Amino acid sequence: MDYSKLLVEDIHSVTMATINNEGKPITRIIDLMLYDEEGIYFLTARGKSFYKELMDQEYISLTGLKGKVSFSLSGKVKNIGSHKLDEIFLKNTYMQSIYPEDTRKALDVFCLYEASGEYFDISDPAHIKRAPITINSKEHGTYYTITDRCIHCGKCETICPQRCIHNEVIDVSQCLHCGACLEICPVQAIEFKGVKKRRKEDVCLMNMCMIEDDKGHVLVQNKINDSYTGITFPGGHVEKEEIFKDAMIREVNEETGLTIKNPYLCGLYHWYKHSIHNIILVYKASEYEGFLHSSDEGDVYWIDKEDFLNQPLATGMEYVWDIVHKQHQECIMSNMGEHKRGDLF
Ligand code: SF4
Ligand code: SF4
């Protein structure tokens, strides 16, 4: 089957996904205009946010539907400017009404030149069909397979809703990807192959600084009006593209009125929440100047160092204390139901 021809000529309008400027998925209906051995072509106007997303990410996912058959592809796109623009307008004459005369100059053409995905047919629900599809890509999608750890118990064959396991071999062309076989296998002999490990993640960078004087005191902040309350050290968020050290000096100044010098990076305190990796860079400083004042974030004041661990501490501050005293350099927090636990490294 010529999937490119089918996508461009039969389906033509597909749902295409990118990531918007808030880091969230966004879809649009996009017409696929042309195809050749290089890839599949579509276009958009340079003024659209879709254009900016394509230029930034150079990657899309699309799904086209024809009856009960779907075609999905994910892959790399590149801007080829006005190359093929006239050919697209000749072949797709309705475009001449949307962009009459030379207003087409506002458009750039993109080529989906390396992609992989699958064809999925549920026309006969009891016997689904699926097959990998690619454009200039060596990837062959995801699939379930039985490894040589199999002890021949037969449980997977019995539970498979599509009856597509025979003699401990999965017919991948009929597999639903439901995962029931993997869950029931008593010896973890079934593997889901082809899933790439994600190397990028969303990160929120913050900082915190223990400031000490030469009389055995540390400066604390009693955090209020925040989801994070209790005794802590001053700190806040690192701004986009900000140098970490400058961010620490700025945050201390905003929250205490003091200007610290030479903050020393002691370690990292981090946790995951809502798919975001939150990382606090933990510093200490003993050189400072200026006059102490509190901010909306909470009162700041000096206490004896020995009393710190007896204070009503904000969550995890005992681990931060450990880090600033060089016992460990990293703490990862995890939720244990109501309780939070830190593991130190
Ligand atoms: S994933 Fe589901 S459909 Fe596929 S082989 Fe396993 S049980 Fe059958
Ligand atoms: S459930 Fe696991 S051990 Fe049993 S037949 Fe299937 S793959 Fe083999």
Side-chain angles (χ1 to χ4, degrees):
M1 195 185 302
D2 186 340
Y3 298 111
S4 295
K5 183 172 189 293
L6 209 140
L7 272 163
V8 173
E9 294 185 352
D10 289 10
I11 295 177
H12 193 63
S13 299
V14 298
T15 304
M16 195 174 283
T18 52
I19 303 292
N20 70 13
N21 62 3
E22 291 175 2
K24 300 197 169 73
I26 182 166
T27 59
R28 299 171 180 83
I29 301 298
I30 298 294
D31 289 353
L32 303 180
M33 301 294 187
L34 278 182
Y35 69 96
D36 61 19
E37 64 286 352
E38 297 290 321
I40 292 177
Y41 302 91
F42 59 97
L43 45 73
T44 190
R46 287 184 296 280
K48 296 190 180 189
S49 50
F50 179 48
Y51 176 87
K52 292 175 183 61
E53 288 152 16
L54 293 171
M55 295 300 286
D56 282 353
Q57 296 151 27
E58 298 179 333
Y59 196 93
I60 58 102
S61 283
L62 68 81
T63 296
L65 267 180
K66 189 175 186 208
K68 294 288 185 186
V69 183
S70 69
F71 300 83
S72 299
L73 279 170
S74 295
K76 298 175 186 172
V77 293
K78 62 183 172 190
N79 183 334
I80 59 166
S82 59
H83 184 53
K84 290 192 179 285
L85 190 58
D86 290 342
E87 191 182 342
I88 285 174
F89 271 64
L90 268 178
K91 196 166 164 63
N92 301 273
T93 48
Y94 65 92
M95 288 302 296
Q96 293 168 17
S97 303
I98 303 173
Y99 287 96
E101 297 163 4
D102 63 354
T103 59
R104 72 179 69 170
K105 285 181 182 163
L107 301 167
D108 272 4
V109 179
F110 285 82
C111 177
L112 175 64
Y113 66 96
E114 187 183 315
S116 62
E118 69 173 7
Y119 149 92
F120 191 60
D121 181 355
I122 55 166
S123 310
D124 175 0
H127 301 95
I128 66 102
K129 289 187 203 124
R130 78 183 330 143
I133 57 178
T134 58
I135 295 174
N136 303 322
S137 169
K138 293 192 180 76
E139 288 181 22
H140 291 293
T142 52
Y143 59 94
Y144 281 84
T145 188
I146 296 178
T147 66
D148 56 12
R149 290 194 294 276
C150 174
I151 55 168
H152 320 294
C153 71
K155 287 184 178 173
C156 55
E157 209 168 315
T158 307
I159 204 168
C160 176
Q162 284 288 315
R163 302 281 178 259
C164 65
I165 305 178
H166 307 287
N167 302 321
E168 287 114 31
V169 175
I170 296 174
D171 180 351
V172 293
S173 70
Q174 295 194 339
C175 171
L176 266 182
H177 287 193
C178 70
C181 54
L182 183 143
E183 282 178 11
I184 205 166
C185 178
V187 292
Q188 289 81 47
I190 299 180
E191 293 180 358
F192 191 39
K193 296 277 196 182
V195 182
K196 277 192 181 167
K197 204 169 173 189
R198 197 172 169 237
R199 292 217 164 91
K200 291 182 184 172
E201 63 180 358
D202 291 328
V203 172
C204 177
L205 288 168
M206 292 162 277
N207 54 32
M208 184 179 280
C209 185
M210 183 190 81
I211 305 164
E212 52 190 341
D213 67 12
D214 53 8
K215 300 181 189 71
H217 300 123
V218 289
L219 186 65
V220 296
Q221 183 175 45
N222 189 6
K223 275 264 184 196
I224 48 168
N225 299 329
D226 200 319
S227 54
Y228 188 62
T229 57
I231 297 296
T232 178
F233 295 134
H237 286 83
V238 179
E239 291 179 359
K240 191 166 179 270
E241 297 178 18
E242 193 175 19
I243 291 171
F244 294 159
K245 185 178 163 192
D246 292 350
M248 190 69 266
I249 293 170
R250 176 185 55 74
E251 279 292 344
V252 168
N253 185 258
E254 286 171 10
E255 296 192 357
T256 71
L258 302 182
T259 302
I260 53 171
K261 287 183 189 164
N262 304 317
Y264 176 79
L265 180 60
C266 304
L268 304 170
Y269 174 95
H270 60 131
W271 71 97
Y272 287 89
K273 190 173 181 186
H274 305 316
S275 302
I276 294 175
H277 193 172
N278 296 277
I279 303 173
I280 297 182
L281 306 160
V282 179
Y283 289 84
K284 69 176 180 180
S286 54
E287 296 174 65
Y288 57 88
E289 59 187 23
F291 298 100
L292 193 64
H293 67 67
S294 298
S295 73
D296 293 345
E297 301 280 334
D299 289 342
V300 285
Y301 47 89
W302 298 97
I303 63 168
D304 281 341
K305 224 172 166 179
E306 281 73 33
D307 288 342
F308 181 81
L309 290 173
N310 299 322
Q311 301 293 311
L313 299 176
T315 304
M317 283 307 294
E318 64 274 30
Y319 301 110
V320 172
W321 185 258
D322 185 293
I323 291 170
V324 287
H325 290 88
K326 289 193 179 171
Q327 293 177 40
H328 295 90
Q329 290 177 310
E330 179 179 348
C331 174
I332 182 158
M333 295 297 287
S334 47
N335 271 324
M336 311 290 286
E338 289 286 289
H339 307 289
K340 291 189 168 58
R341 193 191 79 188
D343 288 309
L344 288 156
F345 303 94

